[in-house]
Amino acid sequence: MIIDFHTHLDESWIGNKLMPEQTFLDLMNRYEVEVACIFTLEGFYGNCSMHNDNLAERARRNPQRLVPFATVNPKLGDQAVNELERCLANPLFRGVKFHTWLQAIAPSMVKETMIKLLKCAAKHNVPVIFHDGTPPYATTFQIAALARWVPAAKIILGHSGLSDYIVAAGQLAGELDNLYLCLTGPKSGEIKFLADTAGVDKMVFGSDLGFSDWRMLPECIDYVLQSGLHPQSISKIFYSNAVDLLDLKRRPL
Amino acid sequence: MLIDSHAMLGKENHHSLEERELIRRMDLHKVDKAIVRPMGSELIVENKLGNNRVLANGSRLLALVSVNPWFGDSALDELKRCYDSGAVGLFLHPARQGFFPVEPIAIPVLELAFSFRWPVMFHTGTYIYSDLLAVGEVARAYPDQLIIAGFGGYADMWFELPDLFDEVENLYLDTSLLFSHNVISVISKIGSSRILFGSGEPRNNYAVHFEALKRHSLSKETISAIMGDNAKRIFNIK
Ligand SMILES: [Zn+2]
């Protein structure tokens, strides 16, 4: 059984139609994904509230399976904080997603607002996942800095360093108690390193399902299965670490 | 013949692979031959050690040797030695070896490799120094030579792949780190004649690649081109 911590469920992206909701759910069934954390894509470019409402609507139809993460535009200052408060007041939302590359802002350029947003997430006890691994707005170091700014917030590197920042991701997640790794991107030979360096308890599974071709899901599953980790570690990555991060024992879906 | 066009031997950070272990993995997955290149210090500074490591392995492992272009004349001498010892191509890692693909420092090394009729594989995907499009410029500058985009620009240059390969007809794609649908996006545009299956061992993994291949319904011809025929042709494998 799997909890997929990194997916996108949206209508379209830059003019291209994305995977329909039913196809998304069928794929979850086929690959034994019990729960998917769903993010926007189009909402990274604007009109966050509408996209947050769309995510909530999808979750309302499948509350046991789809867990929406809210996205806000940190360039809007307190307006963004208010929008995040609005979303997190809705018990369907269980996390926050930023993509500072696509949202076109380095966290340090809006530091005051970012700190308010992370404190808001911490107050609601929900994790905050970021795209990482891409300069100049979303390097793994830039995202890890956020974990230092607000130690009470749970920050997740959405791609665990993606490709060139893998070593840094392992080191930083090992060093910072509130920094976690989502395995969307690292290959089999890197996952063992991340576990050895950051600790397997810091790792959750993610596939980017819905963003592109459906085969990303089974390929990401295979990266973990072929990593050489102990089956018990693999089941933590696929499931129980995500249960803890989402606090599902205290707040079941 | 099943040929892996990109595996790595030696040690670099957490990655480590010895010849015998690679052969064991090849046997397990029925891979006939692998094109192997050095990594870590043996790729960046101790080229002779790395080249000896990849040259020493008989007929199943073929050597994609490397020299750091900043070593100047001694780099050229080392390449000549590798040619005499049976290497099949040159691997360059601009980000790790510290040069920009279009800088003049790389030209003597490139032109010597081309004089041997060797394909040249560049590491691509690391922003700035290993920019996929900069390697595309090298290919445009030498239209009669074979240039391979190692790692296919992984991670986030996938959106450049189809058009770049459509425009630059002497550029080949190494699949070793890519998600399979990104490879298919290039095949859909240019066909399969310039696609090289690479495992990326020990970073990536044969089992993941072969499972991924089964999820696509590629023709027999496409599969045999990607999985061996193209490599056989460009690396001149008997
Ligand atoms: Zn994503």
Side-chain angles (χ1 to χ4, degrees), chain A residues 6 8 39 97 99 131 159 208 211:
Chain A
H6 186 155
H8 300 268
F39 317 147
K97 161 75 179 188
H99 197 308
H131 173 91
H159 297 283
D208 249 333
F211 150 72

Side-chain angles (χ1 to χ4, degrees), chain A residues 185-229:
Chain A
K187 307 298 171 190
S188 297
E190 294 160 332
I191 290 171
K192 173 90 168 47
F193 160 79
L194 290 168
D196 290 344
T197 316
V200 79
D201 294 343
K202 286 295 202 69
M203 297 157 78
V204 293
F205 172 77
S207 72
D208 249 333
L209 179 65
F211 150 72
S212 186
D213 191 273
W214 64 270
R215 295 169 186 85
M216 286 185 81
L217 173 59
E219 286 177 35
C220 285
I221 291 173
D222 283 348
Y223 289 140
V224 178
L225 291 176
Q226 296 297 330
S227 64
L229 288 178

